[in-house]
Amino acid sequence: MMARSRLGQQIIAAVLVAVAGIGVSGCGWRGMNSLPLPGTAGRGPGSFEVKVQLPDVTNLQQNSRVRVGDVTVGNVTKIEREGWHSLLTMRIDGNVNLPANATAKIGQTSLLGSLHVELAPPTGVPPEGRLHNGSLIPLSAGSSYPTTEQTLATLSLVLNGGGLGQVHDITKTLSEAFAGRENDLRSLLRQLDEFIGHLKAQTDDIINATDSVNKLAGQLAEQKPVLDRSLSTLPGALAVLSDEREKLADAIDRLGKFSALTADSVNQTKDALVQELTDLAPVLQSLANAGPALTRSLSFLGTFPWVKETIPNWFRGEYGNLSLVVDLTLSRLDSGLFTGTRWQGNLTELEMQWGRTIGQQPSPYTAGNPLTFPYRADQGP
C-alpha cells in the first residue's frame, strides 16, 4: 500500500511539473483548448495542412471542427492575424477530395451550437485542381454565415419598428416628391448611367492623372526650399514692379507708337517693295537658268585657257604649245566687257573718232570675224 501511494504521488507530481512547464514555456497558453486534443479528425495518416484567409472568425476557437457537408473531416490547429484579416491553419483527413478553389465559411451547428469551418466546392465557377498540403484558400473565397447575435439584433430592430415605419415615410415622401416628374427622373437616371459609363471608361486616365499629380506633389516637396526662397523673394520683386509701374506704362505706350509708325511705313512702301521684288524676279530667274553653265565654268577657270575635261585627250607630255590671237581693239573690249551696261558703245565711238570707220576690219560690230580676217596695222590705233 505504501508503494502504491508513493507511485500515485509521483504520477501527480509529474503531471503538475508537465503542466507547470507548459505554462512557463508557452506564451501561447490559453487554457486547455490551446492544446491539441487526442482523437480529433485530421490527425490520422495522410492528413495534410490547409490555410484559410477569413475576414472575421467571430468566436471560433482552436480545435473547432472542419466539416464538409455534415461530416467532420478535420480541426482548426491555429488562429492568427494576418494584416487586416484572420488566418486559420487546419488539419484535414487525407481522404478528403476538394478542388483547390474550394470555399470556406464559418457556420454554426444550431442556434446555440458551436462554431465550425465549412468547406465546399465553388459555385458559379468550374472546380480547379485539388486541395493538398500547403494549399491556401484566399480571402475572396472566405466568408461566414450570420451569427446568432447578428440574427437576434436584426430581429429586434424589425420587431421594435426600427425601420419599417421610416421606410413607409421615406417611400411616401419620395412618391410625393417625384409625382408628375417621372420623365425628369427617367432622364436623370439615363444621364447618370451615361455619366457612370463614361467615368468607368476613363478609369485608367483618372488613375494616371492621379499618379501624375502624386508625382508632381513629390517633386514640389523635393523643391520646397527653392519654393520657400521664391515666395520670400516674390514680394520684393512685386514691390520693384510697383515702383517702376509708370516707366513700364510709358515704355509700353512708346512701343505702341513705334508699332503704329512701323505699320504706316510698311503701308507706304508696300507698292514700291512689291515692284522691286517683281523686277528682281527676272534677275533671279536668269541666275537660276545660268546655274548649270556657271558650275561647269568652274572647271575652266583652274586650267584657263583649256577646258579641264579635254586636257587628258591631247596633253601627253610635260608641256603644251599655245598660239594666241588677242584682239585688244576698243570696239572688241567694248563688245566683250560693256555690252548691256550704261557704257555700251562708248569705246567704239572713241575708236571711230580716232579714224576707224564702220566696215573696216577687225570690228565686232561688222559682219566679218576678226579672228579669221587678216589684220592690217594701218587700221585702228
Side-chain angles (χ1 to χ4, degrees), residues 9 51 60-61 99 127 134 187 198 216 221 229-230 234 238 259 275 315 319 326 328 333 346 348 353 366 372 381:
Q9 293 176 358
K51 293 182 180 296
L60 188 72
Q61 298 294 327
S187 177
H198 294 319
L216 177 61
R229 288 196 300 269
S230 301
L234 189 60
L238 293 177
S259 300
Q275 184 62 38
F315 199 95
Y319 61 91
V326 181
L328 298 178
L333 295 176
N346 291 345
T348 302
Q353 292 177 0
T366 61
T372 59

Side-chain angles (χ1 to χ4, degrees), residues 239-278:
V240 173
L241 290 177
S242 178
D243 296 339
E244 301 295 331
R245 181 175 57 183
E246 295 182 358
K247 294 182 180 179
L248 291 174
D250 182 63
I252 294 174
D253 181 64
R254 294 189 180 186
L255 180 61
K257 293 180 180 179
F258 175 75
S259 300
L261 180 62
T262 302
D264 183 64
S265 301
V266 171
N267 291 333
Q268 293 181 6
T269 60
K270 178 175 63 178
D271 296 336
L273 180 61
V274 171
Q275 184 62 38
E276 291 179 359
L277 294 176
T278 303

Side-chain angles (χ1 to χ4, degrees), residues 93-140:
D93 290 336
N95 58 355
V96 174
N97 186 7
L98 285 174
N101 56 345
T103 62
K105 285 187 177 181
I106 295 181
Q108 197 167 358
T109 55
S110 62
L111 185 62
L112 299 176
S114 61
L115 296 177
H116 65 272
V117 179
E118 180 180 327
L119 300 180
T123 58
V125 294
E128 299 178 358
R130 181 177 177 180
L131 278 182
H132 58 276
N133 187 45
S135 294
L136 173 66
I137 299 178
L139 186 63
S140 59

